[in-house]
Amino acid sequence: MKWIGVLSLVALSECLVTIPLIKIKSMRENLRRRDLLKDFLEKHPYRLSSKFYKQSNSEVTYEPMRNYLDLYYVGNISIGTPPQEFKVIFDTGSADLWVPSTYCSSKACTTHNVFDPRLSSTFRSTRQRIRLIYGSGIMSGFLGYDNVQIGSLVVVSQAFGLSQKESNKSFENGTFDGILGLAYPNIAFRGSTPIFDNLWKQGLISQNIFAFYLSSNNKKRSVVLFGGVDPSYYKGDLKWVPVTQRGFWQISMDSISMNGKIIACKSGCQAIVDTGTSLVIGPNDPILEILKTINAQPISSGEYIVNCSSVDTLPDTIFTINGIKYPVPASAYIQKYNSDICYSNFEGMVANSDVWILGDVFLRMYFTVFDRANDRIGLAPVVI
Ligand SMILES: *[C@@H]1O[C@H](CO)[C@@H](O)[C@H](O)[C@H]1NC(C)=O
Ligand SMILES: *[C@@H]1O[C@H](CO)[C@@H](O)[C@H](O)[C@H]1NC(C)=O
Ligand SMILES: *[C@@H]1O[C@H](CO)[C@@H](O)[C@H](O)[C@H]1NC(C)=O
Ligand SMILES: *[C@@H]1O[C@H](CO)[C@@H](O)[C@H](O)[C@H]1NC(C)=O
């Protein structure tokens, strides 16, 4: 539930109790993330990800995404006729699609691509207002319908939000224009049909599933797959976990252990699998227990750091789900800032909720299949 940089796109209005929606991070934290991002963008201009992506499996649509500093993953879509292009986060923690519009004067809209409905011959407007609240920001605007293209797939007459206002802080400096939600329709805005449901209903995909491969450091291209899986991204077999509540992609977790001891989620807990959240987020007390185990120290921004020279000796954090152990090593749950400062990638929940959020820190280790046909999630270790 942090600011720019560490992103949480869990749709808050429906879950995780109410307010306080957003924990305002200290200026230092903001500066740190911002500097990192600026640096990164200068060193990695766009050509990095502009290679043609080879389709190895004709049944599956590969939508490439770019990894921004391990904070979020962004892919291209287009809306309207002729197409207008946008960069969006493919977010399993929410169910709506929205992009900035020409009717928006928020700072966040002046720095991003905006949709101009007057330039699209297939656009259909409504008077319906839309307002979406995320862990990291708020947008409001109105609902429209138009054709939306993801890779080679064109969804006809897709409902989407055209923003008129966006909270300044969260979306302003993001390298994405909008958000494309992939959660279940019952958390979509007032019964509008999410884009994945339309991909299936309009017969554009052959299986009612999608899957994520989130790379570390762009070594291999990050990708979201629509309509199937590609075993070249993972090792061994997929292990399946039933969805416990169809809204978020929510599952039961057995326990969390370190050093052979269960240290959190002791009598089982619920977890949301969320590609739109950067870190692993949990209830405050268990998170503190984990931080104590890795000897992390709080700093004034509220974050926790560890001595970088200890990272090699820190134990794996093991998430046990449906009887299977999913280890996450220190190299994944610690973010190295420089040779002296290493940040913990665990964060306590702002809202008073018992639900864990398994974000990108976890998902970079495990290829993840979201199976709408059987209401289950498949996990297998990634091929790096
Ligand atoms: C998105 O489009 C831009 C501009 O056309 C391109 O440079 C970039 O590589 C694309 N991003 C991805 C993830 O393919
Ligand atoms: C958001 O941006 C607008 C325009 O730049 C500004 O007037 C307003 O004060 C900002 N709001 C916040 C909360 O920063
Ligand atoms: C966004 O970036 C601009 C320019 O670097 C900066 O002035 C502004 O404070 C940033 N906003 C946030 C919320 O970090
Ligand atoms: C980190 O650990 C090393 C080796 O134990 C030690 O020499 C160094 O002083 C520690 N650094 C900090 C900032 O505590």
Side-chain angles (χ1 to χ4, degrees):
M1 314 272 151
K2 283 197 193 177
W3 261 155
I4 182 69
V6 175
L7 205 66
S8 173
L9 297 180
V10 161
L12 277 180
S13 46
E14 292 290 333
C15 110
L16 312 185
V17 246
T18 43
I19 335 297
L21 297 173
I22 294 162
K23 177 164 131 196
I24 299 176
K25 298 307 293 182
S26 74
M27 209 49 209
R28 183 193 299 181
E29 148 81 349
N30 283 337
L31 281 174
R32 179 168 68 79
R33 303 280 183 198
R34 207 152 61 220
D35 287 353
L36 273 172
L37 192 56
K38 194 163 148 274
D39 240 39
F40 170 83
L41 292 172
E42 279 166 5
K43 287 183 198 140
H44 301 79
Y46 251 120
R47 61 186 160 68
L48 205 165
S49 51
S50 61
K51 275 195 216 116
F52 179 66
Y53 195 85
K54 187 168 167 289
Q55 288 213 189
S56 58
N57 180 343
S58 61
E59 293 291 299
V60 182
T61 295
Y62 293 74
E63 168 71 3
M65 293 179 297
R66 187 168 179 217
N67 175 351
Y68 282 92
L69 271 175
D70 288 353
L71 294 173
Y72 48 80
Y73 294 79
V74 175
N76 294 333
I77 62 165
S78 62
I79 305 180
T81 314
Q84 302 180 34
E85 288 227 3
F86 301 94
K87 295 193 188 78
V88 294
I89 292 180
F90 291 87
D91 175 30
T92 60
S94 65
D96 298 288
L97 167 65
W98 66 266
V99 294
S101 84
T102 42
Y103 304 110
C104 174
S105 55
S106 300
K107 199 112 170 269
C109 296
T110 64
T111 54
H112 289 112
N113 287 351
V114 289
F115 182 74
D116 187 345
R118 288 160 302 192
L119 299 181
S120 174
S121 62
T122 41
F123 180 75
R124 186 159 57 82
S125 191
T126 75
R127 286 162 189 245
Q128 201 176 354
R129 309 282 320 153
I130 179 168
R131 180 177 149 86
L132 303 169
I133 304 173
Y134 300 91
S136 292
I138 303 177
M139 74 71 75
S140 62
F142 63 99
L143 203 67
Y145 290 83
D146 208 332
N147 301 347
V148 177
Q149 181 158 5
I150 305 175
S152 55
L153 307 173
V154 182
V155 175
V156 175
S157 193
Q158 172 63 45
F160 68 107
L162 292 82
S163 82
Q164 289 170 292
K165 267 194 194 144
E166 294 177 25
S167 60
N168 297 359
K169 289 179 178 158
S170 37
F171 302 132
E172 190 177 310
N173 291 346
T175 50
F176 55 92
D177 304 311
I179 295 167
L180 186 149
L182 291 166
Y184 281 84
N186 57 326
I187 63 166
F189 185 76
R190 294 212 188 124
S192 56
T193 304
I195 192 160
F196 185 75
D197 290 71
N198 278 332
L199 280 173
W200 177 244
K201 280 183 192 163
Q202 295 179 14
L204 300 170
I205 49 178
S206 57
Q207 287 185 81
N208 196 3
I209 64 179
F210 59 92
F212 275 84
Y213 169 78
L214 300 184
S215 81
S216 317
N217 312 320
N218 285 322
K219 273 182 213 131
K220 189 169 170 178
R221 206 85 194 265
S222 300
V223 68
V224 49
L225 310 174
F226 291 101
V229 301
D230 178 344
S232 71
Y233 287 103
Y234 59 88
K235 291 179 266 203
D237 294 329
L238 290 163
K239 300 282 191 287
W240 296 101
V241 188
V243 167
T244 49
Q245 263 188 50
R246 290 178 290 183
F248 296 108
W249 286 92
Q250 186 169 328
I251 55 176
S252 290
M253 185 149 69
D254 305 340
S255 63
I256 299 172
S257 54
M258 290 177 98
N259 292 323
K261 272 196 337 217
I262 293 181
I263 55 163
C265 180
K266 291 182 178 156
S267 48
C269 56
Q270 292 293 297
I272 292 168
V273 181
D274 183 12
T275 57
T277 288
S278 314
L279 307 183
V280 168
I281 299 181
N284 282 317
D285 290 350
I287 288 285
L288 285 175
E289 197 66 37
I290 293 175
L291 293 170
K292 214 170 75 189
T293 306
I294 62 174
N295 199 21
Q297 306 298 323
I299 55 172
S300 58
S301 67
E303 289 180 291
Y304 282 74
I305 57 171
V306 299
N307 187 332
C308 292
S309 65
S310 75
V311 170
D312 289 342
T313 64
L314 292 176
D316 291 359
T317 304
I318 298 174
F319 298 85
T320 303
I321 301 168
N322 221 8
I324 309 282
K325 290 185 162 70
Y326 296 93
V328 174
S331 58
Y333 68 70
I334 299 292
Q335 181 205 15
K336 194 166 185 171
Y337 178 52
N338 57 34
S339 57
D340 290 330
I341 304 178
C342 281
Y343 286 85
S344 145
N345 279 338
F346 292 108
E347 182 171 86
M349 187 83 70
V350 181
N352 182 22
S353 161
D354 286 338
V355 179
W356 288 74
I357 302 173
L358 298 176
D360 301 341
V361 164
F362 177 87
L363 297 171
R364 273 191 284 280
M365 304 296 305
Y366 299 98
F367 181 79
T368 310
V369 182
F370 297 83
D371 180 351
R372 282 288 299 277
N374 301 290
D375 294 324
R376 60 183 185 169
I377 284 178
L379 294 165
V382 290
V383 172
I384 295 173

